[in-house]
Amino acid sequence: MAESGRLHTPQEALDSLSKGLAPLACEWVALELAGNRVLAQTLHARHDTPPFDNSAMDGYALRAADSGRVLPVSQRIMAGQQAEPLAEGSCARIFTGAPLPEGADSVIMQEEVDVRDDGVFIPAGLEAGNSVRLKGREINSGIELVSQGTRLNSAALGFLAGQGFDRVPVYQKPRVALLFTGDELKLPGESLAPGQIYNGNRFMLMDLLPRFGAELALVEQVPDTLEAMTQALERAARQVDVIVTTGGVSVGDADHVRCALELLGELDLWRLSIRPGKPLALGHIDQCRFVGLAGNPVSSFVGAWLFLRPLLGGLQGCKEMHALPEVTAQADFETETAGRDHYMRVTLQWDGDGYRAHAFEDQDSSILRSCVTANALAVIKAHSKITLGERVRCLLLVS
């Protein structure tokens, strides 16, 4: 049972999320489906890259010692062709990526030679190894290619493809249920009655969570009753690894999420000493993790970056998702905090000497507009006063 009398720190929330956290099972997927997935096993090189000495340029392959004179062209070598040994006192027309013929030790660019009727004049002073990519220059067979826990970006996919991998072992995606509470919430396109609003959190989180590696297995609007929320949580807990809710975790008469959670499982932590996002609730139903975000849109946005990202990263074995990258920036704003840490939405810009943090003027937790252009969160500690030009710590919003 979580303590209800005090506010918890963000670190305590992260510690609660990481308790007993382990990656999900491994599965093998086709390389073309592995983008942004996290590698579950370290992979090693199957062969040298490049697998043979080859030309880095379109030009002529020769022995460097033969430079400074006219050389006849004895063969033409395209990429993908097998080269013949280079005849004594000759050069070979060669193209980028083509194998260097046996006996040649250098390549000269085609722009640097003089093509004549009796051959090609090669300027003197050419050095052995010029414009040649040696076998194994990038990596040798057996060397580590990509380590376990790496999130596969486009370059990693190309790198693995170059080694002949068509399938790779990755951690399973965390299956997530996204539940919304609030009878006032409607979908865009529906008519609004007095007192109703459109559910912006739904579309914000449906975009964010897959960027954090989640598979959205269930997205549901739940009626504002304890019975409905209890049934929804019980059903979701049987299907997914993580349940995420927005709203219903405060202390109002219609805030049923926390009560439903305590009926079915455990509330591990409730309420944080942060702004925005104070009513965060963390818990579990059997093995299913629960994260209850505050209903205000900025609170949901900030909470997703601070807590859902590391939770989903941990379930995927991704070390880089344990914490947001950070920089320091010069504040172009002034602010003063009370008793909670403030995570201000800011836009970072580089001015040549460093980053400057531009804060959206209205930082209220209902103003989602403050997040639209934000690329960082400026962390202002409780009981602090920030003056113009002061250095502030900023967490980068990098998924």
Side-chain angles (χ1 to χ4, degrees), residues 304-385:
W305 282 100
L306 294 183
F307 307 111
L308 285 178
R309 182 181 182 272
L311 171 60
L312 295 171
L315 290 172
Q316 297 168 87
C318 184
K319 295 178 182 178
E320 72 178 65
M321 294 178 68
H322 288 181
L324 289 167
E326 59 182 77
V327 299
T328 58
Q330 197 172 39
D332 79 336
F333 58 86
E334 295 183 342
T335 191
E336 189 168 354
T337 59
R340 290 182 280 158
D341 294 353
H342 191 187
Y343 288 76
M344 297 182 67
R345 282 72 67 206
V346 299
T347 302
L348 297 181
Q349 292 182 333
W350 183 264
D351 66 3
D353 296 322
Y355 286 108
R356 294 186 67 87
H358 306 275
F360 193 80
E361 184 175 357
D362 192 339
Q363 292 282 323
D364 187 82
S365 62
S366 67
I367 308 298
L368 189 56
R369 185 182 173 191
S370 68
C371 305
V372 173
T373 59
N375 56 15
L377 299 172
V379 184
I380 313 300
K381 302 300 290 183
H383 306 294
S384 297
K385 184 175 183 179

Side-chain angles (χ1 to χ4, degrees), residues 86-247:
L86 187 66
E88 290 284 343
S90 75
C91 64
R93 182 73 167 107
I94 196 167
F95 296 88
T96 303
L100 198 70
E102 182 184 342
D105 60 14
S106 58
V107 172
I108 188 168
M109 292 175 59
Q110 60 190 13
E111 293 86 353
E112 296 179 358
V113 305
D114 182 14
V115 180
R116 302 177 182 177
D117 291 340
D118 56 346
V120 178
F121 175 73
I122 310 294
L126 190 66
E127 295 183 356
N130 188 72
S131 294
V132 173
R133 299 190 186 110
L134 296 176
K135 176 183 178 181
R137 174 178 176 174
E138 183 174 20
I139 200 164
N140 295 118
S141 177
I143 298 298
E144 180 178 305
L145 282 177
V146 186
S147 61
Q148 179 183 9
T150 299
R151 190 153 51 152
L152 298 174
N153 59 21
S154 54
L157 296 178
F159 191 40
L160 291 170
Q163 283 286 320
F165 285 93
D166 62 339
R167 296 173 64 80
V168 290
V170 295
Y171 291 111
Q172 290 178 355
K173 289 185 176 184
R175 289 171 56 82
V176 174
L178 193 50
L179 306 181
F180 300 96
T181 180
D183 288 342
E184 76 280 8
L185 300 176
K186 304 292 284 185
L187 291 177
E190 297 178 340
S191 298
L192 292 180
Q196 293 181 330
I197 60 173
Y198 291 121
N199 188 355
N201 282 343
R202 180 186 185 111
F203 296 90
M204 177 179 70
L205 293 172
M206 285 179 67
D207 176 75
L208 265 182
L209 295 182
R211 287 167 59 187
F212 298 157
E215 176 187 337
L216 290 179
L218 179 66
V219 179
E220 184 178 337
Q221 177 74 33
V222 182
D224 261 344
T225 68
L226 177 59
E227 181 182 11
M229 180 53 66
T230 303
Q231 292 175 352
L233 289 179
E234 186 176 27
R235 183 170 59 252
R238 294 194 298 263
Q239 302 178 48
V240 301
D241 304 297
V242 179
I243 297 172
V244 177
T245 65
T246 66

Side-chain angles (χ1 to χ4, degrees), residues 37-49:
R37 300 293 295 273
V38 181
L39 202 61
Q41 300 174 16
T42 296
L43 299 180
H44 295 83
R46 293 172 168 175
H47 54 72
D48 293 340
T49 301

